[in-house]
């Protein structure tokens, strides 16, 4: 379980996250929605340790992690796919995937399962990451995070700028991981329709605070839309 309590996060002197409480339970898909610039990515970065968090706590699977260095949080079982598909364009797809193993000390193999989830990557192992389409790069970034077999997968706007057919494929992968039931998934989105079907619970952020949260089936979609409409 991931449990965030009264978290504050800053860039220099400016506070971006102002007292967020949030929880992701075992086997659940939880989403964080919000307009541009409200602090969604900053919140994810604060979970990973890339931003200063002067106060608040982050508990992950029973341990407090808010003081740990980023690589230790990754090693504790948190896989993070940043916004904008952060793959290595000058490395092959195979090399990008192998990097995913580094979290576990470089040991093990890229499992067969990765290619079941993302068949397109199997045909492109020798191709440069930078030569893949945007959607394929997003799939590669997610696959690389999965190679490390995280207990919690964090995705920052996986559908941003991606063609509809690949959005559907990514949705299928998330649904499948959820069905397998042994992974928590926490995703940031602005594309509401994408998360309506796959998320169990939803939080809405405005100006660094949670202004609405609830089980996906119980929240009013109109209420969510009002809060994320531009
Ligand atoms: P988007 O939907 O556009 O991705 P977001 O909700 O993820 O937006 P953040 O990227 O977390 O928003 O940004 C929140 C605020 O923090 C914005 O005002 C942004 O300008 C500011 N910010 C982001 N990164 C930095 C940084 N490295 N240094 C200073 N301020 C930053
Ligand atoms: Mg963002």
């Amino acid at each position: 379980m991931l449990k965030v309590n009264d978290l504050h996060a800053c860039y220099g002197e400016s506070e971006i996250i102002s007292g967020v409480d949030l929880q992701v339970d075992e086997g659940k898909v939880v989403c964080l929605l919000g307009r541009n610039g409200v602090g969604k990515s900053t919140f994810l970065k604060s979970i990973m340790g890339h931003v200063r968090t002067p106060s608040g706590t982050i508990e992950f699977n029973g341990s407090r992690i808010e003081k740990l260095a980023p690589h230790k949080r990754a090693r504790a079982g948190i896989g993070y796919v940043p916004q904008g598909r952060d793959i290595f364009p000058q490395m092959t797809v195979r090399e990008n995937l192998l990097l995913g193993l580094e979290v576990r000390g470089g040991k093990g193999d890229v499992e067969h399962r990765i290619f079941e989830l993302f068949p397109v990557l199997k045909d492109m192992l020798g191709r440069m990451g930078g030569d893949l389409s945007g959607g394929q790069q997003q799939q590669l970034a997610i696959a690389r995070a999965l190679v490390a077999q995280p207990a919690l997968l964090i995705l920052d706007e996986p559908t941003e700028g991606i063609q509809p057919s690949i959005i559907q494929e990514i949705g299928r992968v998330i649904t499948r991981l959820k069905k397998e039931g042994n992974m928590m998934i926490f995703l940031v989105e602005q594309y509401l329709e994408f998360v309506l079907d796959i998320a169990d619970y939803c939080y809405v952020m405005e100006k660094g605070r949670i202004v609405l949260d609830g089980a996906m089936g119980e929240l009013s979609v109109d209420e969510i839309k009002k809060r994320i409409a531009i």
Side-chain angles (χ1 to χ4, degrees):
M1 181 175 92
L2 174 76
K3 195 168 176 14
V4 177
N5 201 351
D6 197 20
L7 194 71
H8 292 250
C10 315
Y11 291 115
E13 292 300 300
S14 62
E15 183 174 270
I16 304 293
I17 299 299
S18 307
V20 167
D21 296 316
L22 179 144
Q23 188 166 319
V24 183
D25 288 326
E26 285 314 314
K28 297 292 183 202
V29 177
V30 173
C31 80
L32 173 62
L33 297 164
R35 297 187 184 99
N36 287 118
V38 296
K40 304 179 301 297
S41 297
T42 304
F43 180 68
L44 297 188
K45 286 181 199 164
S46 65
I47 293 174
M48 293 315 293
H50 298 303
V51 183
R52 197 165 65 86
T53 51
S55 68
T57 59
I58 307 171
E59 195 183 310
F60 179 60
N61 285 347
S63 304
R64 294 272 294 271
I65 61 164
E66 72 272 3
K67 300 251 182 327
L68 295 183
H71 71 277
K72 290 195 174 151
R73 301 188 200 199
R75 205 174 294 161
I78 307 181
Y80 168 52
V81 180
Q83 193 166 3
R85 335 148 190 148
D86 178 33
I87 56 128
F88 293 91
Q90 312 280 22
M91 295 171 86
T92 63
V93 168
R94 179 184 281 108
E95 288 164 338
N96 269 281
L97 289 171
L98 286 172
L99 277 177
L101 293 171
E102 289 302 312
V103 172
R104 297 192 294 162
K107 293 189 196 75
D109 289 312
V110 174
E111 282 179 296
H112 180 62
R113 196 175 77 114
I114 296 295
F115 302 116
E116 272 174 33
L117 293 172
F118 298 105
V120 65
L121 296 179
K122 191 168 187 172
D123 304 326
M124 299 193 168
L125 281 171
R127 209 182 277 192
M128 288 296 163
D131 292 339
L132 269 55
S133 75
Q136 290 163 348
Q137 290 184 24
Q138 182 64 274
Q139 294 179 90
L140 175 58
I142 297 171
R144 188 180 62 192
L146 288 174
V147 162
Q149 300 180 349
L152 166 65
L153 178 66
I154 294 181
L155 306 173
D156 194 346
E157 296 207 36
T159 68
E160 191 181 23
I162 286 179
Q163 69 192 72
S165 66
I166 296 189
I167 290 179
Q168 275 186 8
E169 279 177 39
I170 292 173
R172 272 198 292 272
V173 166
I174 294 175
T175 305
R176 183 160 165 193
L177 292 170
K178 175 175 157 175
K179 279 211 183 102
E180 290 173 10
N182 45 16
M183 195 181 292
M184 296 171 259
I185 299 175
F186 180 36
L187 75 153
V188 158
E189 260 306 333
Q190 290 200 61
Y191 179 20
L192 179 60
E193 279 67 28
F194 178 70
V195 294
L196 281 178
D197 288 339
I198 57 179
D200 298 294
Y201 200 92
C202 167
Y203 291 86
V204 181
M205 180 176 273
E206 273 178 23
K207 290 187 191 158
R209 296 173 203 274
I210 300 302
V211 292
L212 181 70
D213 71 290
M216 206 41 150
E218 290 166 15
L219 284 177
S220 143
V221 173
D222 284 343
E223 181 75 6
I224 299 176
K225 277 188 182 154
K226 237 185 274 168
R227 303 241 182 214
I228 66 173
I230 298 156

